[in-house]
């Protein structure tokens, strides 16, 4: 898997550059202390997968107005950034992408406000498309994201998290933003209603697969690649698909109860990681992810072949095969 | 000053009831834990001054579509509620309007997410008016609110806060929402551009006066009326107009430096309160507030006399004369 920029994002290469500029421009404010804070947050990088989805889906339609599409793609990425800032603040995370978090440097009060500020900038950017449907989708997506995060907080260390509640939760906290990214591409490009619904389905299913793979990597990757401890979700009391399958397969003798009850936490955590890695759980999780990407792939069948369509199809492989 | 509902809000009495219902409806969600959290927050009351402003300004125009106006007024109030939830979270406030804060009960992580959720619901409600300009104004207002709050955080315990920086700060953190409330009334009612600008000016100036009076009451009212300690701003390192005038009048011998440096804090705080209460500072602050309400009053002159116009004019007295 090469660099996303050089391969999958090729059809929107010049537009991604403009999105990057739009992201950096958020820090162009009169107050030096605010410029520093925002500059720090928005320069922390990222794959830019979500804005690329907006650009690729928008450009599926001939004659899509890029002056409207680019601010929306930029807004999608800033919405993602805002949620990360709040996540880090709430989780008391010290590092993200190898750098100290804003909450770590400026304190969580200021980090909370910085996240709010980025929500508003994201909303402003989306509103530049002058499209009521895009504005409403933005608001509904933020509601879904918050619902997912709240469900995560409310159910942490709850032994009764199920596969169903897991799928609902990641649908809200991750797939909603992917589906907004792709649906708003179609909306801004004034695609047909059939096309918009197909793009929505594509984004949703891609997002589901993306999060499942994230949750697999949380157990299978090393601390270095993850940039955080292995099995950090389990440590925070969140049952993701691998852990739920472990519970399903060993209902009477799995180490999760002990971890949640903080009994011999380290040994039991190591045991859980080992049980997941050495069993059929990981391939099973990948099968679930692939079911979603197959659905995403099918949603694109109604579109004629084009460089953007090919890139979107290839992204369904990327999200499953990626190593971080 | 009688009950706002019975006097100033009389021309929008039935609409305010619908706003109340819309606010309560936010807690109608499938997740019981979320319904409880949201229900607690939105049932905490409030004067409903901001949504009343949207209703009164919208209804200045004959034939204003109430089906569009009411969701926007509801969104304005929820935006206000969301900012209060985040303020309480950031300030670690234990009580608001005589009840424990959400942060106090559910912890600040969940309270932060609840605030985010209310932002999104506010945006959804405003988007129901299907008005691009209202959507954009909403986003810009959130940016201003965050900027004001961030400036407050960044400059706390800074001795060099000036009258100018104070006015800019309250313009962002308070007047922006008042001016959004009144401007969006005009926008949704499809008033003329001249009328919209007049309503914007009215709301901005009313909001400035409102905050200045809040800041006066912080020194002159009792702990009981305030529902928090007297001079709580000063304790948190924020210089408001009365404190800035104290510094201006006694540049060499005022107790503020000592309070900010936490030297004999209690005695110096009492001294500051006494110096402000017994001097010409309070009347001078009221004069500044009245300059703003006079400007608000003038902005309404272009509108023909009507019950809504009269209520808006009377509100300029209310914000200055209120005791809490």
């Amino acid at each position: 898997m090469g660099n996303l920029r050089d391969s999958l994002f090729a059809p929107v290469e010049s537009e991604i550059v403009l999105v990057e500029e739009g992201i950096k421009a958020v820090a162009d404010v009169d107050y030096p202390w605010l410029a520093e804070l925002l500059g720090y947050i928005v320069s922390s990088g990222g794959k830019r997968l979500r804005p690329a989805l907006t650009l690729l889906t928008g450009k599926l339609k001939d004659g899509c107005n890029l002056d409207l599409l680019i601010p929306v793609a930029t807004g999608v990425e800033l919405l993602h950034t805002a949620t990360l800032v709040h996540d880090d603040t709430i989780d008391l995370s010290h590092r993200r992408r190898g750098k100290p978090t804003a909450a770590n440097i400026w304190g969580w009060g200021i980090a909370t406000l910085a996240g709010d500020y980025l929500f508003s900038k994201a909303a402003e950017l989306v509103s530049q498309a002058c499209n009521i449907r895009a504005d409403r989708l933005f608001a509904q997506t933020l509601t879904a994201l918050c619902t997912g995060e709240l469900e995560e907080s409310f159910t942490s260390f709850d032994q009764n998290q199920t596969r169903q509640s897991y799928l609902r939760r990641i649908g809200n906290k991750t797939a909603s933003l992917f589906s907004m990214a792709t649906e708003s591409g179609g909306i801004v490009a004034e695609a047909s209603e059939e096309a918009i619904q197909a793009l929505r389905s594509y984004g949703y299913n891609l997002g589901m697969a993306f999060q499942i793979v994230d949750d697999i990597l949380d157990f299978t990757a090393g601390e270095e690649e993850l940039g955080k401890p292995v099995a950090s979700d389990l440590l925070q009391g969140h049952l993701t698909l691998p852990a739920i399958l472990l519970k399903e397969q060993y209902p009477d003798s799995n180490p999760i109860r002990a971890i949640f009850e903080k009994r011999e936490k380290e040994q039991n955590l190591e045991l859980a990681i080992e049980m997941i890695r050495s069993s059929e759980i990981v391939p099973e999780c990948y099968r679930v992810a692939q079911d979603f990407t197959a659905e995403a792939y099918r949603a694109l069948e109604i579109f004629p072949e084009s460089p953007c369509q090919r890139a979107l199809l290839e992204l369904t492989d990327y999200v499953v095969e990626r190593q971080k």
Side-chain angles (χ1 to χ4, degrees), chain A:
Chain A
M1 185 63 44
N3 186 317
L4 281 172
R5 288 292 169 88
D6 299 337
S7 55
L8 301 178
F9 294 177
V12 290
E13 197 185 347
S14 56
E15 291 84 0
I16 281 274
V17 173
L18 296 174
V19 167
E20 291 284 357
E21 285 174 13
I23 292 168
K24 288 209 183 74
V26 168
D28 290 341
V29 291
D30 283 340
Y31 303 91
W33 41 265
L34 186 56
E36 189 189 349
L37 168 66
L38 296 172
Y40 183 84
I41 293 170
V42 300
S43 66
S44 69
K47 289 188 282 286
R48 310 304 191 204
L49 178 55
R50 293 159 190 81
L53 288 171
T54 305
L55 297 170
L56 288 165
T57 50
K59 282 186 75 179
L60 278 180
K61 178 104 171 29
D62 283 339
C64 169
N65 184 339
L66 294 176
D67 291 339
L68 305 181
L69 189 66
I70 288 164
V72 174
T74 312
V76 165
E77 181 67 5
L78 280 181
L79 174 55
H80 176 53
T81 307
T83 62
L84 296 182
V85 171
H86 277 192
D87 287 357
D88 288 343
T89 307
I90 290 158
D91 297 342
L92 299 171
S93 304
H94 290 287
R95 300 184 81 77
R96 154 97 50 192
R97 294 170 184 156
K99 281 169 63 178
T101 57
N104 192 356
I105 299 177
W106 280 274
W108 57 269
I110 283 175
T112 301
L113 290 171
D116 292 350
Y117 189 96
L118 293 173
F119 281 133
S120 73
K121 281 290 155 188
E124 273 191 52
L125 281 157
V126 171
S127 80
Q128 284 180 27
C130 296
N131 189 306
I132 287 156
R133 192 167 168 184
D135 285 347
R136 190 168 302 172
L137 179 60
F138 176 89
Q140 289 166 337
T141 305
L142 184 51
T143 304
L145 291 168
C146 295
T147 304
E149 290 294 335
L150 279 162
E151 183 165 12
E152 195 162 280
S153 290
F154 270 99
T155 59
S156 64
F157 296 103
D158 177 350
Q159 302 275 357
N160 299 317
Q161 298 170 58
T162 62
R163 198 190 283 229
Q164 192 191 10
S165 69
Y166 166 77
L167 293 175
R168 185 181 59 200
R169 182 156 57 81
I170 69 169
N172 278 324
K173 80 165 197 166
T174 305
S176 67
L177 185 51
F178 277 75
S179 86
M180 179 217 163
T182 53
E183 184 178 353
S184 38
I187 289 171
V188 173
E190 298 181 1
S192 69
E193 192 56 38
E194 186 197 8
I196 291 173
Q197 293 310 323
L199 292 175
R200 178 187 178 86
S201 166
Y202 168 79
Y204 173 81
N205 286 292
L206 191 77
M208 292 298 281
F210 184 90
Q211 186 59 53
I212 291 167
V213 172
D214 236 35
D215 295 338
I216 298 169
L217 294 174
D218 191 46
F219 284 100
T220 59
E223 191 164 335
E224 187 111 341
E225 295 148 274
L226 292 170
K228 56 183 178 180
V230 178
S232 61
D233 281 318
L234 207 47
L235 276 168
Q236 290 178 50
H238 311 316
L239 289 186
T240 57
L241 192 56
I244 289 167
L245 295 193
L246 182 66
K247 275 192 68 196
E248 284 178 8
Q249 291 189 10
Y250 303 92
D252 303 317
S253 64
N254 71 72
I256 290 171
R257 181 174 297 273
I259 297 168
F260 277 17
E261 289 169 357
K262 300 188 172 64
R263 285 184 280 112
E264 296 173 349
K265 209 167 86 176
E266 281 188 26
Q267 296 96 306
N268 278 304
L269 191 70
E270 269 182 44
L271 179 59
I273 294 168
E274 184 49 35
M275 285 174 89
I276 286 168
R277 283 183 178 172
S278 64
S279 66
E280 274 302 298
I281 288 173
V282 171
E284 172 61 18
C285 289
Y286 271 112
R287 273 191 293 276
V288 177
Q290 276 155 344
D291 286 345
F292 282 106
T293 54
E295 194 67 31
Y297 199 97
R298 269 195 297 277
L300 292 178
E301 281 172 359
I302 63 164
F303 298 98
E305 217 198 296
S306 72
C308 286
Q309 193 237 20
R310 263 196 306 282
L312 291 165
L313 289 173
E314 283 172 29
L315 272 167
T316 63
D317 288 332
Y318 161 76
V319 296
V320 177
E321 290 165 14
R322 76 203 167 89
Q323 296 305 312
K324 67 173 185 177

